[in-house]
Amino acid sequence: MTTKTNTTTAEHKESSMFDAVLARLDVAAKIYGLSEDVAIVLRNPQKQVKVSLPIMMDSGKIEVFEGFRTVHSTILGPSKGGIRYGMDVCDDEVKALSAWMTFKCAVANLPYGGGKGGIKCDPRKMSVGELERLTKAYTYAMADVFGPHKDVPAPDMGTSAREMAWILDAYNTVHRGNFPAVVTGKPVGMGGSLGRETATGRGVMVATLAALKKLNLDPKKVTAAVQGFGNVGANAARLLHEQGIKVCAIGDHTATLWNEKGIDINAALAYAKTNGGVLKGFHGGVEIKNIELLTANVDVLVPAALQNVITEEIAVNIKAKLIIEGANGPTVPEADHVLQEKGIIVVPDILANSGGVTVSYFEWVQNNYGHYWTEEEVNKRHDESMHSAFDHVWNNGQKYKTTMRIGAYITALMKVEFGIKAKGNY
Ligand code: NAD
């Protein structure tokens, strides 16, 4: 078998997000002893699509937006992964996020491969009508990429159930039928699953409790800081608070707050709800700098907003004992060794935020089955799945004498390697 590739680690720029994926993949592959024949497949995404989307803006002018979708792997099932709207969306970011989805679905033991998509746009500056036209144009352009048994999108940064309903409508129009399983994270009542909206935050909470148990720490005596107050951050903060954890710092792109006595998370949620979803102007704590949240004097740090925020320099100053990666890719590879040397346990993104895709899978199952579960049932299945994934990753970390991050990659590699070898079609 030839092992020639167009994409090697060495060919990537230092700052590339896909580099961050390959860096961890290479470390895990070496420790686990992955064959180069398998590694080479994983280094090269299966399909990358880029489209131009001309949209009539409310002003009457046409603007053209760039849309992306990468299918990294369908080895273990249809590709699964969110759609992100933001000005930083680009080929490299989507490619990296799609690869993480391959590993995340494998860690969560789901019958899925990995995909990711996005549109380079600033959704905060667009009207609802413009966003609907853009989302539907994107779906028409991707109508042959998406499919209930091919590639299944979901919400990510800048998108929510509203955009998923538009995607479903556009897909149904093209394919002349009703295909609810083509997208997950839909509104409940349109085939969405109870518990999906809060699932990623719930997974962060379950992972936090599991990790605290390993460290023999009582949640009721623990403090936390949560960066990001969107879908993942706000739900994680609320659920951690409900478990008795004192959340002393929260923040979003408009404000960062600190309160030694613990922030009243329900008050923050109620405030954000009537304030365009943001924390600016909330008086539940003193304002601090964004960066100070990451290095705050707390036990648990939950980065749940952006990628690449925990750099080597920040890592040196982190005081938390535990980092639960709610966001995708919040830690740069160069910071890994600093955190490891400091003895900080990092529950990596591909495990910590896998609650969302787990309940997306449950939504897809319910759509295909045409039978819907109670929220209690969804949460129960989610928690069991999360605990099982946590234990597998923890045990592989111990077995291979490595970090939880590399333990998670090894867990994923074992499953994907099996799929690649079993298919035998190279
Ligand atoms: P979201 O759009 O709902 O919220 C993003 C949050 O980040 C907002 O509160 C925003 O204000 C904040 N933010 C943006 N820039 C910031 C900055 N400079 N400093 C501090 N905060 C900033 O997005 P989300 O769905 O919560 O996603 C957050 C992260 O979690 C992303 O990395 C995403 O890929 C990941 N994730 C999301 C899901 C999901 O189900 N939504 C699942 C897995 C992973």
Side-chain angles (χ1 to χ4, degrees), residues 84 156-158 196 200 229-232 252-253 290 305-306 328:
R84 179 177 281 201
D156 194 74
M157 271 179 98
R196 171 61 185 91
T200 312
F229 209 65
N231 177 290
V232 183
D252 65 9
H253 70 285
N290 201 328
L306 305 170
N328 283 309

Side-chain angles (χ1 to χ4, degrees), residues 13 51 73 112 116 196 280 291 312 325 349 403 406:
K13 291 197 306 284
V51 290
S73 168
Y112 284 143
K116 202 81 181 190
R196 171 61 185 91
K280 194 173 177 61
I291 201 175
E312 212 172 346
E325 294 186 336
D349 46 9
T403 59
I406 298 305

Side-chain angles (χ1 to χ4, degrees), residues 225-343:
V226 181
Q227 185 188 51
F229 209 65
N231 177 290
V232 183
N235 281 305
R238 178 178 61 81
L239 290 161
L240 292 176
H241 175 72
E242 281 176 14
Q243 293 298 323
I245 292 174
K246 204 199 281 180
V247 181
C248 295
I250 55 172
D252 65 9
H253 70 285
T254 66
T256 310
L257 298 144
W258 167 261
N259 185 337
E260 207 177 343
K261 294 190 178 133
I263 288 172
D264 182 343
I265 299 298
N266 290 325
L269 287 165
Y271 179 86
K273 207 173 171 185
T274 56
N275 192 43
V278 299
L279 290 168
K280 194 173 177 61
F282 178 61
H283 293 303
V286 292
E287 282 235 20
I288 55 170
K289 286 190 197 137
N290 201 328
I291 201 175
E292 288 174 323
L293 180 147
L294 298 170
T295 56
N297 193 10
V298 289
D299 303 302
V300 183
L301 173 63
V302 182
L306 305 170
Q307 57 252 20
N308 298 340
V309 289
I310 302 180
T311 59
E312 212 172 346
E313 299 76 47
I314 297 277
V316 171
N317 294 308
I318 285 180
K319 296 175 196 73
K321 302 175 182 73
L322 190 60
I323 298 175
I324 312 286
E325 294 186 336
N328 283 309
T331 308
V332 303
E334 297 75 23
D336 283 351
H337 75 278
V338 180
L339 298 172
Q340 190 177 5
E341 275 161 24
K342 288 177 76 172

Side-chain angles (χ1 to χ4, degrees), residues 100 103-104 107-108 325 348-354 405 408-409 412:
W100 277 323
F103 302 129
K104 192 183 301 182
V107 164
E325 294 186 336
D349 46 9
I350 58 172
L351 170 63
N353 68 35
S354 66
R405 187 187 309 285
Y409 274 79

Side-chain angles (χ1 to χ4, degrees), residues 1-5 7 18 22 25-26 28-30 32-46 72-73 75-76 102-103 106 409-426:
M1 188 185 282
T2 174
T3 52
K4 262 196 155 186
T5 178
T7 315
F18 193 59
L22 296 183
L25 174 64
D26 287 350
K30 196 165 175 205
Y32 170 58
L34 188 75
S35 85
E36 181 55 23
D37 287 348
V38 173
I40 196 173
V41 176
L42 295 174
R43 283 197 197 108
N44 293 278
Q46 222 170 287
H72 175 259
S73 168
I75 301 283
L76 296 178
T102 299
F103 302 129
Y409 274 79
I410 290 175
T411 305
L413 289 178
M414 286 173 166
K415 295 194 178 136
V416 182
E417 177 187 45
F418 168 79
I420 289 176
K421 289 190 172 164
K423 278 163 94 100
N425 58 355
Y426 295 99

